[in-house]
Amino acid sequence: MKGLTERQKETLLWIKNFIRKNQMPPTVREIGRAFDIQSSTAFHILKALQGKGYVQRGNLGARSLKLLKKKLS
């Protein structure tokens, strides 16, 4: 996962596991609760992951987060 901070790596792996387990993406609030951080901090992490091409956030609601096919290295 070249170019990701440790927090970004940890968050991305957690998101992948959440989706695998629940068959749907987490909300920003769920990410915040999982890492004991504010929703705004979780949002900034997601924005960074989106900017680096690992996730895409849609406009269709809280669960519109999508993992991209970018290979994790």
Side-chain angles (χ1 to χ4, degrees), residues 4-72:
L4 296 180
T5 66
E6 286 302 314
R7 176 64 85 172
Q8 291 167 353
K9 288 178 194 176
E10 185 180 20
T11 304
L12 186 59
L13 291 174
W14 184 87
I15 291 168
K16 288 179 74 171
N17 288 329
F18 185 97
I19 292 171
R20 190 175 303 125
K21 179 180 177 184
N22 299 290
Q23 300 299 307
M24 64 181 166
T27 65
V28 173
R29 286 184 181 172
E30 288 169 331
I31 295 168
R33 278 195 301 266
F35 292 97
D36 196 28
I37 57 176
Q38 296 291 320
S39 293
S40 59
T41 303
F43 177 79
H44 287 292
I45 293 169
L46 289 176
K47 285 285 273 187
L49 289 171
Q50 183 175 5
K52 294 178 180 184
Y54 287 93
V55 300
Q56 181 177 350
R57 298 189 69 235
N59 297 325
L60 300 176
R63 296 196 186 274
S64 61
L65 183 66
K66 182 171 143 182
L67 292 175
L68 299 178
K69 298 287 183 186
K70 184 173 182 177
K71 184 176 179 177
L72 303 177

